């Protein structure tokens, strides 16, 4: 390899290392929507080239984002990536408490083909803004959009332009964007190109227009309670691209909101009071007598059970009344009635055993179908056939005739 090739190779290595370890600084404003796109093309140069020269690299790449030193992102920052072949997006609305405090986000890219990783830091420097927050805030629910589609700068710009045309403010900012799934919405069925829906909050410096106030009229409130579309005069300015659910619009005038002051607990010095010198327990343990515990846990319940068993045995075995004692305490008339009923029952049972049984017609003499001879009855006087099934006895007679 000549010196020129070595220099080119070293420059490529330095460039790749500088990309993998470079820190990117961004400067969002407090109370204004922050969107940062994690482009796959930016990280492709940090992975080895595709094995076949000339082929376009389309490796699946996913991202993991977290606050430096912590396993997750800050509470105001969200992340979404629909597929490994699409770009990731960080978005959220920073609060005023974070002004002047740099937030370092670690971004790790995973190449799902080669299982290699690349990492760089995103430093978010939150800046303060004038007239923060904007006094009039409106939140729209757009039914035909997903959150990653709404975060695109062109789509978000078109929506803000439509809102500005209806509201006519001097200042208009997007404050926050939230997926409907984060508000408890259901995942749509994969039919008819259904979308998840997205909530978009915007703020302005002028009161709400009459068109936005139309949803608060009694007629439209009644239609919303009946799950019907309200009649909004300016809906046609959004309908071409955005399908807004006007029943879910929220209009907030923060100048009329009564602030709630909560007393914060004053933190202490963080030093425990002096409780004296610590005295550990002695190494030699005193002997303990467990006899009392044994009596309480075993002997006492056993004694109670034994007493109950004796009482039960006495009542069951020693206090039984015999037949003679029972007859002595029973009146004579009841004994006579009982004796007569018992004798009558025995007599009826003996008579039922000796009664004649009328034979069924199927057991009477029959004629042979060929010879015409009379076949004797199948039963005998000394043979009980009433317990045999009729079909079975007829089958035996047919077999005897055939023989």
């Amino acid at each position: 390899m000549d010196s020129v090739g070595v220099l080119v190779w070293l420059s490529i290595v330095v460039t790749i290392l500088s990309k993998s370890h470079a820190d990117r600084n961004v400067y969002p404003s407090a109370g204004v929507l922050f969107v940062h796109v994690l482009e796959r093309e930016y990280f492709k140069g940090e992975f080895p080239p595709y094995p076949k020269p000339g082929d376009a690299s389309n490796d699946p790449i996913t991202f993991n984002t977290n606050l430096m030193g912590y396993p997750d992102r800050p509470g105001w920052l969200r992340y979404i990536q629909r597929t490994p072949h699409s770009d990731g997006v960080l978005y959220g609305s920073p609060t005023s408490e974070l002004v002047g405090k740099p937030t370092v986000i670690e971004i790790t890219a995973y190449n799902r083909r080669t299982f290699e990783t690349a990492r760089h830091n995103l430093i978010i420097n939150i800046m303060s803004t004038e007239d923060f927050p904007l006094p009039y805030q409106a939140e729209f629910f757009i039914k035909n959009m997903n959150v990653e589609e709404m975060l695109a700068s062109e789509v978000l710009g078109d929506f803000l332009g439509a809102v500005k045309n209806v509201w006519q403010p001097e200042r208009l900012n997007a404050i926050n964007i939230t997926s409907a799934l984060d508000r408890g919405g259901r995942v749509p069925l994969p039919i008819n190109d259904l979308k998840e829906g997205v909530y978009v909050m915007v703020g302005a410096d002028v009161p709400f227009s009459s068109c936005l106030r139309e949803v608060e009229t009694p007629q439209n409130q009644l239609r919303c309670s009946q799950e019907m579309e309200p009649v909004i005069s300016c809906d046609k300015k959004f309908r071409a691209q955005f399908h807004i659910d006007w029943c879910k619009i929220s209009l907030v005038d923060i100048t009329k909101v009564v602030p709630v002051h909560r007393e914060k607990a004053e933190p202490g010095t963080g030093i425990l009071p002096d409780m004296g010198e610590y005295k550990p327990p002695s190494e030699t343990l005193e002997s303990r007598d467990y006899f009392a515990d044994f009596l309480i846990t075993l002997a006492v319940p056993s004694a109670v059970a034994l007493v109950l068993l004796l009482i039960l045995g006495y009542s069951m075995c020693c206090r039984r009344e015999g037949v003679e004692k029972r007859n002595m305490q029973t009146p004579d008339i009841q004994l006579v009635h009982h004796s007569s009923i018992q004798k009558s029952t025995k007599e009826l049972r003996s008579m039922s055993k000796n009664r004649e049984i009328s034979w069924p017609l199927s057991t009477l003499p029959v004629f042979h179908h060929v010879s015409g001879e009379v076949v004797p009855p199948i039963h005998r006087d000394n043979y009980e056939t009433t317990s045999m099934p009729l079909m079975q006895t007829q089958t035996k007679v047919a077999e005897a005739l055939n023989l």
Side-chain angles (χ1 to χ4, degrees), residues 152-206:
S153 58
E154 299 84 3
V155 178
L156 184 59
D158 294 342
F159 178 75
L160 292 179
V163 174
K164 190 172 184 178
N165 189 18
V166 173
W167 201 339
Q168 297 295 330
E170 295 182 2
R171 294 186 56 192
L172 180 69
N173 291 330
I175 298 177
N176 200 1
I177 291 180
T178 308
S179 173
L181 300 183
D182 297 334
R183 297 282 188 90
R186 300 179 62 180
V187 178
L189 296 175
I191 56 176
N192 299 331
D193 197 22
L194 295 178
K195 303 294 184 178
E196 298 172 356
V198 60
Y199 290 89
V200 181
M201 179 178 287
V202 298
D205 56 348
V206 297

Side-chain angles (χ1 to χ4, degrees), residues 79-187:
Y79 166 75
I80 187 172
Q81 183 185 17
R82 188 66 64 175
T83 63
H85 296 280
S86 60
D87 296 334
V89 182
L90 285 169
Y91 66 100
S93 180
T95 58
S96 59
E97 291 81 3
L98 301 175
V99 173
K101 301 177 182 179
T103 303
V104 182
I105 303 298
E106 295 180 340
I107 301 175
T108 305
Y110 296 90
N111 190 321
R112 296 301 177 180
R113 180 182 64 87
T114 61
F115 301 100
E116 295 190 0
T117 61
R119 178 178 298 174
H120 79 270
N121 297 332
L122 178 68
I123 303 176
I124 303 177
N125 302 281
I126 301 173
M127 310 296 293
S128 61
T129 56
E130 298 179 358
D131 299 333
F132 172 80
L134 293 173
Y136 302 96
Q137 299 177 1
E139 187 177 54
F140 300 85
F141 177 63
I142 305 175
K143 298 183 290 186
N144 64 329
M145 287 286 176
N146 288 335
V147 62
E148 70 275 7
E149 299 172 348
M150 196 66 199
L151 290 172
S153 58
E154 299 84 3
V155 178
L156 184 59
D158 294 342
F159 178 75
L160 292 179
V163 174
K164 190 172 184 178
N165 189 18
V166 173
W167 201 339
Q168 297 295 330
E170 295 182 2
R171 294 186 56 192
L172 180 69
N173 291 330
I175 298 177
N176 200 1
I177 291 180
T178 308
S179 173
L181 300 183
D182 297 334
R183 297 282 188 90
R186 300 179 62 180
V187 178

Side-chain angles (χ1 to χ4, degrees), residues 20-284:
S20 60
H21 295 282
D23 294 341
R24 178 179 296 184
N25 288 270
V26 292
Y27 300 90
S29 300
V32 180
L33 179 65
F34 164 71
V35 180
H36 180 75
V37 181
L38 306 180
E39 300 178 354
R40 296 174 65 254
E41 296 295 334
Y42 177 79
F43 290 90
K44 281 183 179 179
E46 303 182 12
F47 299 117
Y50 207 65
K52 295 181 181 180
D55 292 349
S57 175
N58 193 25
D59 293 341
I61 299 176
T62 58
F63 301 94
N64 183 38
T65 59
N66 63 280
L67 182 64
M68 178 175 286
Y70 295 88
D72 203 355
R73 297 174 299 276
W76 63 270
L77 189 63
R78 296 186 178 94
Y79 166 75
I80 187 172
Q81 183 185 17
R82 188 66 64 175
T83 63
H85 296 280
S86 60
D87 296 334
V89 182
L90 285 169
Y91 66 100
S93 180
T95 58
S96 59
E97 291 81 3
L98 301 175
V99 173
K101 301 177 182 179
T103 303
V104 182
I105 303 298
E106 295 180 340
I107 301 175
T108 305
Y110 296 90
N111 190 321
R112 296 301 177 180
R113 180 182 64 87
T114 61
F115 301 100
E116 295 190 0
T117 61
R119 178 178 298 174
H120 79 270
N121 297 332
L122 178 68
I123 303 176
I124 303 177
N125 302 281
I126 301 173
M127 310 296 293
S128 61
T129 56
E130 298 179 358
D131 299 333
F132 172 80
L134 293 173
Y136 302 96
Q137 299 177 1
E139 187 177 54
F140 300 85
F141 177 63
I142 305 175
K143 298 183 290 186
N144 64 329
M145 287 286 176
N146 288 335
V147 62
E148 70 275 7
E149 299 172 348
M150 196 66 199
L151 290 172
S153 58
E154 299 84 3
V155 178
L156 184 59
D158 294 342
F159 178 75
L160 292 179
V163 174
K164 190 172 184 178
N165 189 18
V166 173
W167 201 339
Q168 297 295 330
E170 295 182 2
R171 294 186 56 192
L172 180 69
N173 291 330
I175 298 177
N176 200 1
I177 291 180
T178 308
S179 173
L181 300 183
D182 297 334
R183 297 282 188 90
R186 300 179 62 180
V187 178
L189 296 175
I191 56 176
N192 299 331
D193 197 22
L194 295 178
K195 303 294 184 178
E196 298 172 356
V198 60
Y199 290 89
V200 181
M201 179 178 287
V202 298
D205 56 348
V206 297
F208 304 109
S209 62
S210 59
C211 173
L212 298 180
R213 291 288 188 183
E214 290 179 1
V215 72
E216 298 179 348
T217 60
Q219 295 81 5
N220 285 331
Q221 290 295 320
L222 178 61
R223 295 178 65 89
C224 288
S225 63
Q226 297 175 352
E227 298 184 357
M228 299 174 61
E229 288 287 340
V231 180
I232 306 297
S233 59
C234 57
D235 180 60
K236 58 184 179 181
K237 297 183 180 180
F238 297 91
R239 182 64 63 176
Q241 189 176 0
F242 307 100
H243 296 172
I244 298 177
D245 189 348
W246 292 99
C247 291
K248 294 184 178 181
I249 189 173
S250 175
L251 305 177
V252 179
D253 183 359
I254 63 175
T255 59
K256 299 180 180 179
V257 177
V258 178
V260 178
H261 299 283
R262 297 181 179 178
E263 297 181 358
K264 296 183 179 180
E266 296 182 359
T269 59
I271 302 175
L272 295 177
D274 187 10
M275 302 297 294
E277 186 179 356
Y278 174 70
K279 296 180 180 181
S282 60
E283 298 181 357
T284 58

